[in-house]
Amino acid sequence: MRASANGAELFYSIRGEGPPCLMPCSLGTRSNEVLTSELSRHFTLIYADIRGSGESSGEPRDLDFDVMADDFDAVCRAAGFDRVAVLGYSIQGILAIEYGRRRAERVTCVIAVGTPPRGDMQWLAAESTRFFEADASEERKNVLRDNFAKLAPGHSLADAVAAQTPMRFFDARFDAAPLVAAAEGRPGILEHLLGPLTNGWSVTEHADERRVPIFVAHGRYDYVVPHRLWEDALPALPRATFRLFERSGHQPFFEEPEEFVQALRAWRSLPPSHSIRARP
């Protein structure tokens, strides 16, 4: 299905049943449909390719947060929903948080999964490396080294991401190839998302305007976006709740789907808290 906005045709798909939840996608809807198949048993998931990605038209360079909000409005209207939750995974969590800030009347809550609290990719890469070196087991480090040693010259981005399994999954030897194969990359979109769009962004900026409740979910074994990066940001966000999943990496809704759904249900009936659980 498609929605028109700001000169672009935005592709979206709908799966599941339950409360409506918009999920922005930058690598095609199919990859997120695979990752969130269990969630679709509890939510009506509206997977939306952001402009310039997947099957949506438009130029990535035209995307800023205001254009994004108009685009998401158009998708929600076309799908027939006045109010939605928004689930943003990884860097898309920044989009979800900013949509909630701009459209508090349309967004019931924001769910940010494996999302960095800042958009500075150099800072994130340094913190990721530091946490992995200090925290990961020797076995996990050896698996990562072996995976990268096996990469062929001129390997694809998909192959590199699959090799990063020890940094992205609780199970360091998990076969991520089928998940990566579902992704549909297009030139320019990741560069824009990880560069001009989010560079300099911080979740604590405009904190007083973040009126929509935010559920921040992280995996204990996420070495791409370490959970500890949120420790300094959370006190500035009184409507944010943090949940650490002990047997997950970068995608707890995939690795611990039952626990993830239970945590969401408990959150929506309990007052927010910004306490981080202690490391075991």
Side-chain angles (χ1 to χ4, degrees):
M1 293 171 279
R2 297 183 185 276
S4 299
N6 298 308
E9 293 296 311
L10 307 168
F11 176 83
Y12 69 95
S13 62
I14 300 177
R15 300 285 185 272
E17 56 185 33
C21 182
L22 177 70
M23 188 169 187
C25 307
S26 61
L27 295 173
T29 61
R30 180 58 184 156
S31 60
N32 281 349
E33 289 173 13
V34 172
L35 281 171
T36 59
S37 59
E38 286 297 315
L39 280 187
S40 66
R41 297 170 55 192
H42 306 276
F43 299 93
T44 298
L45 292 169
I46 308 129
Y47 303 94
D49 283 336
I50 61 177
R51 64 173 53 223
S53 76
E55 297 186 42
S56 289
S57 66
E59 292 293 332
R61 64 174 177 268
D62 295 334
L63 186 67
D64 60 26
F65 290 131
D66 291 322
V67 170
M68 172 209 71
D70 289 341
D71 288 354
F72 290 173
D73 285 349
V75 169
C76 291
R77 283 195 301 269
F81 298 107
D82 293 327
R83 302 190 73 214
V84 295
V86 188
L87 192 162
Y89 165 55
S90 195
I91 196 68
Q92 280 79 224
I94 294 178
L95 308 188
I97 292 169
E98 285 304 310
Y99 185 48
R101 181 168 79 89
R102 285 164 169 76
R103 297 292 191 271
E105 73 284 359
R106 297 186 62 92
V107 176
T108 60
C109 64
V110 171
I111 306 162
V113 184
T115 299
R118 291 168 53 186
D120 184 337
M121 293 300 112
Q122 289 187 336
W123 165 80
L124 179 59
E127 292 295 330
S128 170
T129 299
R130 185 178 297 113
F131 184 55
F132 186 78
E133 290 301 318
D135 186 86
S137 67
E138 286 304 313
E139 178 184 6
R140 188 175 290 271
K141 292 175 181 177
N142 288 334
V143 174
L144 184 67
R145 282 192 288 266
D146 290 345
N147 286 355
F148 275 98
K150 294 174 184 176
L151 286 176
H155 59 265
S156 67
L157 175 62
D159 289 337
V161 172
Q164 291 177 352
T165 292
M167 299 185 70
R168 294 177 174 270
F169 289 85
F170 170 73
D171 179 0
R173 300 181 185 276
F174 178 76
D175 182 8
L179 300 179
V180 175
E184 304 170 18
R186 281 177 57 183
I189 186 62
L190 289 182
E191 290 86 348
H192 184 68
L193 277 179
L194 301 174
L197 182 60
T198 58
N199 187 36
W201 177 88
S202 171
V203 71
T204 57
E205 188 177 6
H206 306 295
D208 59 333
E209 299 177 14
R210 304 196 187 283
R211 303 187 301 276
V212 174
I214 303 174
F215 183 82
V216 181
H218 270 264
R220 167 67 182 82
Y221 293 88
D222 185 352
Y223 294 103
V224 177
V225 182
H227 63 87
R228 290 185 169 181
L229 299 183
W230 279 86
E231 290 179 351
D232 293 335
L234 289 166
L237 304 168
R239 295 187 65 82
T241 296
F242 184 96
R243 173 62 189 269
L244 185 64
F245 292 85
E246 301 288 352
R247 297 178 64 82
S248 292
H250 197 46
Q251 45 283 306
F253 49 68
F254 175 78
E255 296 179 89
E256 297 183 78
E258 293 183 7
E259 292 81 358
F260 188 83
V261 170
Q262 290 174 2
L264 283 179
R265 287 178 170 166
W267 170 58
R268 294 305 289 154
S269 62
L270 294 174
S273 166
H274 59 248
S275 60
I276 295 183
R277 291 174 53 190
R279 211 178 93 188

